[in-house]
Amino acid sequence: MEKKIIAIIAGGDSSEHDVSMRSAAGIYSWIDQSKYEPYIVEITSQSWEAHVAEGKTSPVNRHDFSFEKDGKKIIPDYAYITIHGTPGEDGILQGYFDLLHIPYSTSDVLVESMTFNKFTLNQYLKGFGVKIAESLLIREGQDFTAEQIVERVGLPCFVKPNGGGSSFGVTKCKQISDIQPAIEKAFSEWPEVIIEAELKGTEISNGVYKTKNGGGCVLPITEVVSKNEFFDYDAKYNGAVEEITPARLSDDTTRRVQALSSHIYDILGASGIIRMDYIISHKQDAEGKTVDVINLLEINTTPGMTPTSFIPQQVAAAGMQMTDVLNEVIADKIG
């Protein structure tokens, strides 16, 4: 039987282009090459190139997503999208592949565009009872004074680009004078800025994937202990963090987090592997007992897939192999 062609879509024009390429290399290494023939396809606004051999690329024909190798035209049967940011995480590529009838690894256009917009996602899920931080949204051209922002969300607060990844343009503001420079920094990454109240507690991350036939699973939880002020780019990619899988949570809190992750996946009608990030804060109940409160930070629908990323860590902690997980995810769409 002829092998199905898998295009691993990476790159993009955001600050996380290089991280995306490292994720693509990870996925390429885990693809079951006895069943599939994978190619990394690097996309930017300037060029679409398929990596067809060591050091050799072939331009992609955007009319049918084809490219050539050794004079033979190749049209992928499936797209594994691992762009962090636009156009892979916001619904744009999903719409393109829908038009070409090429199945892909992520959720559909609506889910991708909504989860990419942090403010919209959080307000939507808030309607289902999911706990989120107090926040406000600022668009370019809108006037907000630092005093108005502090009155709404308090200090400390986080200023972030409302779209894009979560590694660049993020500032923790401890005093009112920090806010305006932080907004300008976030606007350099995206034309909308979300400002969120700080949630104190334990940061965790939880991966989930499900398939149409009832397969998949909610993965073990990772606890994130940043050596920096918060879980920024340096912590994520330069080792300034301790990542503990499984997280040091009580059995009850672990069960509640995993149940919530599964529930959110179903609310969204998500597809493929997604990762949900939370803060576990603590409060006293009426009897004076400490209760863990689960607060959603954000959802990543094209999570990092380098060998040291959260999802591979969680898959290993579950006693599973990345190749088997990817086989499940791919087979869910193309058999």
Side-chain angles (χ1 to χ4, degrees), residues 2 4 32-33 39 41-42 52 75 107 110 112 129-130 161 181 197 209 224 251 254 256 261 264 295-296 300 309:
E2 194 168 314
K4 296 288 181 71
D32 185 348
Q33 297 196 26
Y39 294 89
V41 176
E42 184 175 1
V52 294
I75 300 179
S107 304
L110 175 61
E112 291 298 315
V130 176
Y209 73 98
V224 182
D251 291 344
T254 296
R256 288 168 53 218
S261 296
I264 291 173
N295 307 278
L296 179 70
N300 293 275
S309 295

Side-chain angles (χ1 to χ4, degrees), residues 58-203:
S58 173
V60 173
N61 183 331
R62 303 185 197 189
H63 293 290
D64 60 3
F65 201 61
S66 67
F67 53 89
E68 290 191 0
K69 180 182 180 182
D70 300 329
K72 177 184 176 184
K73 181 176 180 177
I74 295 174
I75 300 179
D77 299 293
Y78 178 91
Y80 197 107
I81 301 171
T82 190
I83 290 178
H84 308 315
T86 189
E89 203 171 7
D90 57 359
I92 292 175
L93 272 182
Q94 288 78 7
Y96 167 77
F97 287 125
D98 283 342
L99 289 172
L100 295 181
H101 304 289
I102 295 175
Y104 47 84
S105 58
T106 68
S107 304
D108 63 20
V109 173
L110 175 61
V111 176
E112 291 298 315
S113 59
M114 182 167 62
T115 53
F116 188 69
N117 186 303
K118 297 178 177 69
F119 188 81
T120 297
L121 172 72
N122 287 352
Q123 298 308 311
Y124 175 73
L125 291 176
K126 190 176 181 180
F128 289 88
V130 176
K131 293 180 174 60
I132 63 166
E134 184 67 35
S135 64
L136 61 86
L137 181 71
I138 300 176
R139 295 187 175 94
E140 284 185 328
Q142 289 182 321
D143 289 326
F144 273 91
T145 67
E147 289 76 15
Q148 289 173 318
I149 291 167
V150 171
E151 184 179 349
R152 174 74 174 271
V153 303
L155 287 171
C157 64
F158 285 93
V159 178
K160 311 174 182 179
N162 191 45
S166 56
S167 299
F168 293 91
V170 181
T171 304
K172 180 177 181 179
C173 299
K174 297 181 178 179
Q175 51 194 19
I176 198 165
S177 60
D178 296 336
I179 291 176
Q180 193 55 45
I183 290 173
E184 292 172 6
K185 179 181 176 181
F187 271 138
S188 72
E189 292 285 333
W190 202 256
E192 294 181 336
V193 171
I194 182 173
I195 303 176
E196 295 179 320
E198 180 187 36
L199 291 169
K200 293 185 181 296
T202 303
E203 185 164 353

